[in-house]
């Protein structure tokens, strides 16, 4: 399944042509690296795909409903919340559903409802439907997912009630990554995610990305990391004073 298609894309900054004739296709399960020298336009292309900046020519085709998650180069999570509460914000919908389930349970225990067969059946049906949806969306799983991601990103020994504002830059970067992974977007876009990661976190991330259910698009200068994770490499390279795209096929 094609998740994203880019044709003839171009981008100017002022009078300078930064990207021209970019062509890229992302299919489900693809593990794509975007490489090129410093200033080649890798981050610019990712920002365009993520919808953060505009482009000047060409087209981006994305089927309705396909979700994109993007982590910019050198960004950390800025938040007033604690580690745990911030991770919970990814699951607001599920938490709301959980409250609704509790509310329906309380309703079913009310004498005026359970003594009225018709009304009771109606509430029970609503409860069943909501329960199935809650389960399917991972309602019984999300807290374990948060723990697992925090563990992988070396927060196992942390008190999860620590305010994020008190953490270091590197820790904030890892949390930004963690939050994005928990969102599980169809296309996961990471701009140099391995900067400031230690060996243990790196190898956890490698494994996580290898088994990721969606597609992954990564910019990284870390060849060793890319070798472990990607199966397709696009290089942005300069010819005729323009940056265009070359596909490097991996063996
Ligand atoms: N907001 C901007 N305004 C003007 N020029 C910009 C802007 N952002 C980037 N550029 C220029 O566009 C070109 C591409 O930048 P970009 O950040 O996309 O490169 P990159 O491939 O990600 O580089 P790096 O490997 O250093 O991260 C560079 O020449 C850069 O100076
Ligand atoms: Mg960049």
């Amino acid at each position: 399944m094609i998740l994203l298609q880019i044709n003839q894309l171009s981008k100017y900054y002022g009078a300078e042509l930064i990207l021209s004739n970019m062509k890229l296709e992302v299919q489900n399960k693809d593990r794509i690296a975007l490489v090129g020298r410093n200033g080649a336009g890798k981050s610019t292309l990712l920002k365009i795909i993520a919808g953060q900046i505009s482009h000047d020519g060409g087209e981006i085709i994305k089927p309705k409903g396909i979700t994109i998650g993007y982590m910019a180069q050198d960004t950390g999570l800025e938040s007033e919340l604690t580690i745990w509460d911030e991770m919970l914000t990814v699951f607001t919908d599920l938490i709301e559903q959980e409250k609704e389930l509790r509310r329906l349970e309380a309703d079913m225990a009310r004498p005026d409802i359970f003594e009225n067969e018709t009304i009771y059946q109606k509430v029970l049906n609503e409860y069943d439907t909501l329960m199935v949806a809650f389960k399917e969306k991972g309602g019984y799983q999300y807290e374990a997912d948060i723990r697992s991601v925090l563990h992988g990103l070396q927060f196992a020994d942390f008190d999860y009630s620590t305010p994020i504002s008190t953490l270091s830059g590197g820790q904030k970067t890892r949390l930004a990554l963690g939050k994005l992974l928990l969102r599980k977007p169809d296309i996961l876009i990471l701009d140099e995610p391995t900067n400031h990661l230690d060996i243990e976190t790196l190898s956890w991330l490698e494994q996580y990305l290898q088994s990721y259910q969606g597609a992954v698009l990564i910019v990284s200068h870390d060849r060793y990391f890319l070798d472990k994770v990607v199966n397709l490499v696009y290089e942005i390279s300069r010819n005729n004073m323009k940056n265009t795209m070359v596909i490097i096929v991996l063996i």
Side-chain angles (χ1 to χ4, degrees), residues 87-249:
M87 296 301 121
L88 279 184
T89 62
V90 173
F91 303 102
T92 314
D93 288 358
L94 279 176
I95 292 165
E96 279 308 309
Q97 283 187 12
E98 209 167 1
K99 281 187 193 149
E100 179 67 6
L101 284 169
R102 294 295 94 81
R103 198 183 61 75
L104 291 169
E105 280 165 10
D107 277 357
M108 288 187 289
R110 271 167 47 186
D112 58 323
I113 290 183
F114 78 70
E115 282 163 11
N116 183 324
E117 182 67 18
T118 323
I119 296 179
Y120 183 77
Q121 270 308 326
K122 204 171 149 260
V123 176
L124 191 62
N125 286 343
E126 198 185 333
Y127 183 79
D128 281 345
T129 309
L130 191 58
M131 181 63 106
V132 169
F134 180 72
K135 226 168 163 175
E136 265 175 15
K137 280 167 82 185
Y140 294 109
Q141 191 57 44
Y142 71 89
E143 294 202 347
D145 286 350
I146 295 177
R147 282 200 186 84
S148 153
V149 164
L150 286 177
H151 196 278
L153 294 171
Q154 307 300 313
F155 284 94
D157 297 332
F158 269 72
D159 179 349
Y160 293 160
S161 63
T162 308
I164 289 172
S165 56
T166 65
L167 300 176
S168 74
Q171 289 162 341
K172 287 177 180 170
T173 304
R174 278 185 281 135
L175 285 179
L177 180 59
K179 207 176 153 188
L180 191 57
L181 297 179
L182 287 168
R183 281 190 198 283
K184 302 191 179 84
D186 298 315
I187 308 175
L188 181 61
I189 300 179
L190 303 173
D191 197 346
E192 310 220 8
T194 68
N195 296 353
H196 325 296
L197 295 188
D198 58 48
I199 302 278
E200 266 173 77
T201 317
L202 262 178
S203 72
W204 177 82
L205 184 61
E206 283 163 13
Q207 282 174 28
Y208 194 94
L209 294 179
Q210 279 162 9
S211 61
Y212 192 72
Q213 71 216 5
V216 182
L217 176 58
I218 311 175
V219 168
S220 175
H221 292 286
D222 185 340
R223 280 312 298 230
Y224 187 75
F225 174 77
L226 289 180
D227 282 349
K228 288 258 170 104
V229 176
V230 309
N231 50 27
L232 199 58
V233 178
Y234 283 81
E235 180 179 21
I236 298 183
S237 65
R238 179 158 285 239
N239 59 37
N240 302 325
M241 301 300 286
K242 293 180 304 196
N243 283 331
T244 52
M245 191 91 88
V246 177
I247 302 176
I248 305 170
V249 178

Side-chain angles (χ1 to χ4, degrees), residues 20-40:
S20 86
N21 200 19
M22 292 286 142
K23 192 173 160 57
L24 177 89
E25 189 177 277
V26 181
Q27 304 214 30
N28 198 30
K29 293 279 177 189
D30 274 354
R31 303 285 182 265
I32 301 172
L34 189 59
V35 302
R37 58 168 179 75
N38 291 112

